[in-house]
Amino acid sequence: MNTALESFRALADQTRLRILALLWLMELSVGELAQVLGQSQPRVSRHVKILCDAGLAERRKEGSWVFVALGDAKRTGPILAALDAWRSEGEDHWAIADSARLAAVRADRATAAAEWFEAHAGEWDAIRSLHVAEEQVEAAMAAALATPGIARLIDIGTGTGRMLELFAPHAESALGIDRSSEMLRLARAKLSEQGIGNAELRQADLYALPMSDGEADAAILHHVLHFAQQPGAAIGEAARVLAPAGRLLIVDFAPHDREELRTREGHVRLGFSDEQMLGWFSKAGLAPVQTQTLEGGALTVKLWLGRKAGQPGEQLPVNEVKAA
């Protein structure tokens, strides 16, 4: 009864009901909520605090922004079901206005993302020209993760959200983490534009993932490790959040001598050997399942797939694939 009382007290306000309905559609920053609601940020922040204190919403700070999402599903689920039932009686003018202004927020996100990509297109194209086409890399990744199905996916170093765009629709739920708040805003714009609603984004470090032990059954590190000071520690942290039999897919470069990538693009590591990668797998309790080589261009792309043991002492054969 206490939970019900807290929830009903928190929702005994039209603005807070509107906020909950908006968060049902998508995660929003406090500033975006203020834009949609036509209210000041301090006022919206007070309403958000009440919802968070009641467990109906949660806040996450990303740089100078604060994003708000729905709270625990066990608490919000019954309320959202009731709102859905009442909505069938006809939306009021506030819901119609909020929906229109929410479309404007989506458009603003898309515009900001397009401007960023236009400004950085040359940098991305320069890197892509050095290796096999992204379409071939993504096809190989899709084949590696094709079976079994994915319940909970984590994309570590999600960047602009491309991996979530590809794989979240095939998972029950997905989480993308990145240290850059700018990248997360770009990812939000992309996922919103694509209508991908089962993926959430959080600002976090790859050495301290915001998940409990054994919470994910698939993890992706796509062109992330060459920026990492401690690749082995990052792999160990990814393995920690995997459930038994969970899979880790790493995509990165084979060893190369393009020193300019270190100075110009901030690459800490100039590629990885199979020996290095499988050594880190072993220390992290991951059994190697597949290695794949994608040649073409100055840089060779590698895929390493590992699986967390389903039972103590389990060993799996390595499937080595080479594709030119």
Side-chain angles (χ1 to χ4, degrees), residues 170-187:
H170 306 289
E172 293 178 17
S173 65
L175 171 66
I177 72 104
D178 204 284
R179 192 170 57 181
S180 167
S181 56
E182 181 181 16
M183 285 294 187
L184 290 173
R185 286 195 288 275
L186 293 167

Side-chain angles (χ1 to χ4, degrees), residues 16-310:
R16 292 196 285 275
L17 276 171
R18 290 167 67 192
I19 291 174
L20 195 72
L22 288 167
L23 297 179
W24 191 8
L25 297 174
M26 61 188 290
E27 184 180 81
L28 293 161
S29 72
V30 171
E32 289 171 335
L33 280 170
Q35 179 182 339
V36 173
L37 297 169
Q39 300 180 15
S40 69
Q41 286 199 34
R43 184 175 180 183
V44 170
S45 293
R46 288 194 294 272
H47 285 303
V48 167
K49 183 180 185 303
I50 292 171
L51 290 172
C52 289
D53 289 345
L56 298 174
E58 59 180 33
R59 290 170 294 192
R60 287 194 292 273
K61 194 171 189 302
E62 293 179 8
S64 59
W65 291 40
V66 175
F67 282 89
V68 189
L70 284 177
D72 186 84
K74 292 180 181 178
R75 183 166 290 201
T76 59
I79 294 169
L80 297 177
L83 289 176
D84 193 41
W86 292 326
R87 183 180 293 170
S88 64
E89 299 176 7
E91 291 187 316
D92 62 19
H93 71 284
W94 285 115
I96 295 171
D98 288 350
S99 178
R101 286 192 285 260
L102 188 63
V105 166
R106 286 195 174 102
D108 288 344
R109 287 185 177 185
T111 298
E115 290 174 350
W116 188 92
F117 281 117
E118 184 176 354
H120 293 80
E123 302 169 21
W124 287 64
D125 289 343
I127 296 292
R128 288 172 176 166
S129 68
L130 295 175
H131 61 77
V132 68
E134 289 290 339
E135 292 82 0
Q136 190 173 343
V137 177
E138 292 172 358
M141 294 179 69
L145 291 175
T147 56
I150 301 171
R152 178 68 164 164
L153 168 73
I154 180 169
D155 180 28
I156 304 167
T158 195
T160 59
R162 175 58 179 167
M163 294 300 102
L164 292 177
E165 184 182 6
L166 287 175
F167 296 109
H170 306 289
E172 293 178 17
S173 65
L175 171 66
I177 72 104
D178 204 284
R179 192 170 57 181
S180 167
S181 56
E182 181 181 16
M183 285 294 187
L184 290 173
R185 286 195 288 275
L186 293 167
R188 279 191 182 86
K190 177 179 286 188
L191 297 178
S192 176
E193 190 175 16
Q194 296 293 326
I196 298 172
N198 68 330
E200 61 176 318
L201 296 163
R202 295 190 192 179
Q203 186 176 32
D205 193 275
L206 77 167
Y207 303 115
L209 299 175
M211 298 182 79
S212 302
D213 293 358
E215 192 176 342
D217 65 349
I220 296 172
L221 280 159
H222 175 259
H223 287 310
V224 170
L225 283 188
H226 59 248
F227 292 110
Q229 296 286 349
Q230 297 176 288
I235 291 171
E237 177 65 359
R240 177 188 66 80
V241 304
L242 287 176
R247 294 169 292 162
L248 171 63
L249 178 60
I250 296 175
V251 179
D252 222 295
F253 298 123
H256 61 86
D257 59 1
R258 301 299 294 252
E259 189 67 33
E260 74 274 14
L261 295 181
R262 194 194 304 275
T263 56
R264 189 184 67 205
E265 304 295 340
H267 291 201
V268 177
R269 303 295 183 105
L270 300 184
F272 304 96
S273 67
D274 289 344
E275 183 180 9
Q276 280 178 306
M277 196 63 67
L278 299 185
W280 286 322
F281 273 20
S282 179
K283 289 181 180 179
L286 298 171
V289 175
Q290 176 180 311
T291 64
Q292 186 166 357
T293 303
L294 301 177
E295 297 177 341
L299 299 179
T300 296
V301 176
K302 297 282 296 188
L303 283 77
W304 296 274
L305 180 66
R307 201 188 86 174
K308 197 168 184 176

